[in-house]
Amino acid sequence: MATEVARWSGLIKRIRLVCRNCSEEYESRLLYACPKCLGALEVKYEVSGMSKSTFESRKRSIWRYFELLPIEDPSNVVDIGSGNTPLVKADRLGEELGIRELYIKNDTLNPTFSFKDRPASVAVSKAKEFRLVAVGCASTGNLASATAAHATKAGLPCYVFMPSDVERNKILQVTQYGAEVVLVNGTYDDVNRLAHVSCDLYDVGIVNVNLRPYYVEGSKTMMLEIVEQLGWRAPEHVIVPMASGALLCALHKGLKEIEELGMVKGSTRMSGAQPEGCSPIVDAFKKGLDYVIPVERPTTLVKSLAIGMPGDGAFALKTVRQSGGVCESVSDGEALYAASLLAKTEGIFAEPGGAITVAVLKKLLEDGKVDRSEEVVCCVTGAGFKATEHISQQDVRTKLISPKIEMLNTIFAR
Ligand SMILES: *Cc1c(COP(=O)(O)O)cnc(C)c1O
Ligand SMILES: [Zn+2]
């Protein structure tokens, strides 16, 4: 892969960091808050000579968008095959919900089974570029495996921090990549604080803390793929699960960038989904606030979205409002029902945090906030195997028989 990317390195690309708050610009380096105003930094690109066919001609991987990713030397790319996931026309689910133009961006099909492989691939590549000697993350469950898998491919030690109450399979999974797994007896916000101190004191690249401006760039490839899969057309409406709000903001940033390059026209409504037991961004949206009031104790079994103090909350609010979208929350029961419906209609087995976008779409349709003729893409961000605790015993319907031919009579109706 690295050698394939190397062949493109003749193209011109310059990256800088720009403050979201005061617009001050900085050379690209290991910096995540504006030294002047402490605002969040994001990556800005100067590229030229790009066209749709440049991207299309390359191997199907997030790295085909190399000029819009913040890595300077292609030999630093760490690739385990993230991205390039299907955009499925969901006719059966659409019929069930009463909407004609429904698509599922199926990001359960990533190397570690969640969309977090996209940002982890970019962040670990950047850690290599910065010559960092170790990486890590603060995780609600999915980022842990994504970071660990990319770290091991890069040959870097990896330290993952997560709340001790995340799903068992997510803990089992991450231990298999050989990472140092630290379970914190506290909330995600406690975990995040420890991760901040770790990178300040111990020089590690925490992918979603000190590498954050680079990390989020990986997520935007989901939108670049959606647009390309629709034949270089912006979808009318995209619904995104929100934890910190970073994914939603990144998708919108990706769309703006290819719009500026003249590759796509038209606008997309961006809507955000959260569980009722932890919905600080949705609550702020509904109250008309432009800031987010933290949720101290999340009470949801949708663990992957349980961030009480969303780092990109205010920016996500602004993005949703400017795009004409909405924020909506659903109960855990509605998220679980949506996961089951998605599996039973489209054959896609998602975790509740991934399927929550389907639950929110159902609610928005019922409330008349989405028109039944609107084209909607639901981002489904994590696989069902990662969170099996909630699958209730009544739901696991099987038949046990002795190995006798006459037993088949009890199974097939005549
Ligand atoms: C992390 C995560 C998200 C989005 O998280 P943000 O912090 O908002 O970027 C969405 N779905 C799943 C399953 C996740 O693990
Ligand atoms: Zn600033």
Side-chain angles (χ1 to χ4, degrees), residues 324-380:
V326 291
C327 291
E328 189 55 270
S329 58
V330 291
S331 68
D332 286 358
E334 288 171 299
L336 295 180
Y337 176 75
S340 156
L341 195 60
L342 183 60
K344 289 184 171 77
T345 55
E346 297 296 331
I348 295 171
F349 181 36
E351 63 171 289
I356 198 166
T357 50
V358 172
V360 160
L361 172 61
K362 183 171 182 290
K363 188 163 176 180
L364 294 175
L365 284 165
E366 286 163 4
D367 294 348
K369 290 180 187 155
V370 167
D371 198 275
R372 294 188 183 275
S373 64
E374 198 168 320
E375 174 192 60
V376 178
V377 178
C378 287
C379 296
V380 173

Side-chain angles (χ1 to χ4, degrees), residues 19 21 32-40:
C19 175
N21 186 41
Y32 65 100
C34 174
K36 270 177 70 182
C37 77
L38 298 180

Side-chain angles (χ1 to χ4, degrees), residues 151-171:
T152 204
K153 180 72 172 173
L156 291 172
C158 179
Y159 301 86
V160 314
F161 293 87
M162 50 186 176
S164 55
D165 71 347
V166 304
E167 296 90 341
R168 186 176 149 77
N169 284 354
K170 290 182 183 168
I171 298 172

Side-chain angles (χ1 to χ4, degrees), residues 35-92:
K36 270 177 70 182
C37 77
L38 298 180
L41 298 174
E42 56 182 33
V43 178
K44 186 177 156 184
Y45 300 82
E46 269 172 47
V47 292
S48 57
M50 289 308 300
S51 69
K52 296 174 196 174
S53 59
T54 321
F55 292 141
E56 281 169 343
S57 65
R58 294 172 179 163
K59 191 184 124 181
R60 301 205 162 266
S61 136
I62 62 167
W63 294 101
R64 75 208 314 237
Y65 305 112
F66 182 74
E67 287 74 14
L68 294 177
L69 291 173
I71 306 301
E72 290 174 87
D73 180 349
S75 71
N76 291 322
V77 165
V78 179
D79 185 19
I80 62 169
S82 305
N84 181 36
T85 60
L87 181 71
V88 179
K89 181 85 195 320
D91 288 334
R92 289 210 67 218

Side-chain angles (χ1 to χ4, degrees), residues 112 116-117 120 124 134-152 156-185 187-188 190-196 198-199 204-209 215 386:
T112 73
K116 291 289 198 314
D117 284 321
V124 174
V135 293
C137 66
S139 174
T140 55
N142 287 327
L143 185 56
S145 281
T147 305
H150 285 89
T152 204
L156 291 172
C158 179
Y159 301 86
V160 314
F161 293 87
M162 50 186 176
S164 55
D165 71 347
V166 304
E167 296 90 341
R168 186 176 149 77
N169 284 354
K170 290 182 183 168
I171 298 172
L172 295 182
Q173 186 189 359
V174 61
T175 61
Q176 297 308 296
Y177 303 112
E180 187 79 56
V181 181
V182 185
L183 301 180
V184 180
N185 198 355
T187 64
Y188 175 80
D190 296 321
V191 168
N192 196 30
R193 248 185 309 277
L194 291 176
H196 268 84
S198 304
C199 57
V204 288
I206 301 287
V207 301
N208 54 339
V209 180
Y215 160 87
K386 285 175 156 275

Side-chain angles (χ1 to χ4, degrees), residues 101-301:
E101 297 291 317
L102 175 61
Y103 293 88
I104 300 294
K105 181 62 172 165
N106 184 3
D107 252 45
T108 68
L109 296 176
N110 268 298
T112 73
F113 314 107
S114 87
F115 93 93
K116 291 289 198 314
D117 284 321
R118 298 173 185 271
S121 179
V122 172
V124 174
S125 301
K126 200 63 193 176
K128 227 174 125 185
E129 193 148 274
F130 283 143
R131 305 280 173 265
L132 299 177
V133 295
V135 293
C137 66
S139 174
T140 55
N142 287 327
L143 185 56
S145 281
T147 305
H150 285 89
T152 204
K153 180 72 172 173
L156 291 172
C158 179
Y159 301 86
V160 314
F161 293 87
M162 50 186 176
S164 55
D165 71 347
V166 304
E167 296 90 341
R168 186 176 149 77
N169 284 354
K170 290 182 183 168
I171 298 172
L172 295 182
Q173 186 189 359
V174 61
T175 61
Q176 297 308 296
Y177 303 112
E180 187 79 56
V181 181
V182 185
L183 301 180
V184 180
N185 198 355
T187 64
Y188 175 80
D189 293 310
D190 296 321
V191 168
N192 196 30
R193 248 185 309 277
L194 291 176
H196 268 84
V197 178
S198 304
C199 57
D200 291 343
L201 293 185
Y202 300 98
D203 258 1
V204 288
I206 301 287
V207 301
N208 54 339
V209 180
N210 55 347
L211 288 165
R212 193 170 181 86
Y214 304 98
Y215 160 87
V216 298
E217 292 296 292
S219 302
K220 81 187 179 194
T221 59
M222 197 194 288
M223 183 63 110
L224 304 181
E225 288 176 10
I226 292 170
V227 168
E228 195 181 330
Q229 285 165 322
L230 289 172
W232 294 99
R233 191 169 60 70
E236 286 175 26
H237 193 168
V238 176
I239 306 180
V240 188
M242 298 187 296
S244 70
L247 173 61
L248 185 140
C249 299
L251 296 185
H252 190 250
K253 182 173 187 279
L255 187 62
K256 289 287 139 213
E257 285 170 356
I258 49 174
E259 199 181 321
E260 272 162 35
L261 289 172
M263 294 180 187
V264 65
K265 278 199 288 281
S267 57
T268 297
R269 291 175 75 194
M270 302 292 305
S271 290
Q274 292 195 300
E276 278 166 10
C278 185
S279 56
I281 307 177
V282 176
D283 297 345
F285 180 85
K286 291 187 172 175
K287 287 186 185 134
L289 303 176
D290 58 6
Y291 58 93
V292 168
I293 300 167
V295 169
E296 224 156 277
R297 286 265 143 211
T299 54
T300 174
L301 58 79

